[in-house]
Amino acid sequence: MPSSSAKAAVSAACVFCKIVKGEIPSHKLLETSRSLAFLDVNPLSKGHALVVPKYHAEFLHQVPDDYLADALPVLKRVSLALGASAYNVLQNNGKLARKSLLFALCILFGCASSEFHVPTSTAFLELSDQAVPHVHFHIIPKTAPTDGLGIGWNAQDTDHARLRAIAEELQQKLRDM
């Protein structure tokens, strides 16, 4: 993983890299040397904000640790400034994760819901490919049952033997890193 001395990666085609560089205007909330927080232009609720590391990577595991260490305090400060008694922090990795979230929202609200802005299942699939391929965190205030983020949680049955095997496998991988 690149260290803090590595030159920050940027992508000329990335919308968030352009916002970070000031080439596209945004409603900035907070900026550090490694992170930028700004309001989402398609908010799910009042104050819906994004925190973007100033390092271009599509997946969380590709972002250097010092950029990630900077992002969480920024998330915390923006969350406190929002003053919401409840909020979601969301971060997707890859198109499949985004499609899964959008599919859950489509099931919950209906693909033709005016609140969800997805008129058909075909549009849902097109929308799922519009995610910005730059790691970012959403802070979504939840001030009422009908605003903010709403998703399903498809919990699997508990199988402790399977969980133990998964934990052992992951522990070994973590020791080997």
Side-chain angles (χ1 to χ4, degrees), residues 46-67:
K46 179 184 175 190
H48 178 171
L50 300 173
V51 174
V52 177
K54 292 182 176 181
Y55 185 97
H56 181 81
E58 186 172 352
F59 297 95
L60 184 69
H61 65 272
Q62 297 169 332
V63 179
D65 289 350
D66 49 341
Y67 285 82

Side-chain angles (χ1 to χ4, degrees), residues 17-175:
C17 287
K18 289 179 180 183
I19 290 172
V20 165
K21 292 187 291 185
E23 296 172 3
I24 295 177
S26 68
H27 300 281
K28 289 183 184 181
L29 301 175
L30 179 63
E31 186 169 11
T32 68
S33 63
R34 292 189 170 93
S35 300
L36 176 64
F38 53 92
L39 291 177
D40 193 305
V41 295
N42 295 300
L44 295 179
S45 60
K46 179 184 175 190
H48 178 171
L50 300 173
V51 174
V52 177
K54 292 182 176 181
Y55 185 97
H56 181 81
E58 186 172 352
F59 297 95
L60 184 69
H61 65 272
Q62 297 169 332
V63 179
D65 289 350
D66 49 341
Y67 285 82
L68 294 175
D70 186 77
L72 282 180
V74 171
L75 279 163
K76 179 181 177 180
R77 289 182 64 195
V78 173
S79 298
L80 288 168
L82 289 170
S85 60
Y87 57 91
N88 294 97
V89 174
L90 174 68
Q91 198 276 318
N92 293 313
N93 287 276
K95 289 181 180 180
L96 184 59
R98 172 113 168 114
K99 285 182 182 182
S100 297
L101 173 63
L102 289 171
F103 183 69
L105 290 171
C106 189
I107 289 170
L108 287 170
F109 299 110
C111 290
S113 169
S114 61
E115 293 83 13
F116 189 54
H117 304 292
V118 181
T120 67
S121 57
T122 303
F124 152 71
L125 291 173
E126 291 169 5
L127 178 61
S128 65
D129 290 335
Q130 291 178 359
V132 178
H134 184 122
V135 170
H136 58 285
F137 302 86
H138 292 263
I139 307 168
I140 308 166
K142 186 81 171 162
T143 57
T146 57
D147 73 0
L149 183 65
I151 60 173
W153 193 272
N154 298 321
Q156 300 174 1
D157 292 335
T158 302
D159 178 344
H160 287 287
R162 183 170 181 259
L163 292 176
R164 187 170 25 262
I166 293 169
E168 290 170 0
E169 176 186 350
L170 292 174
Q171 290 166 356
Q172 184 60 50
K173 288 179 179 181
L174 288 165
R175 282 191 292 273

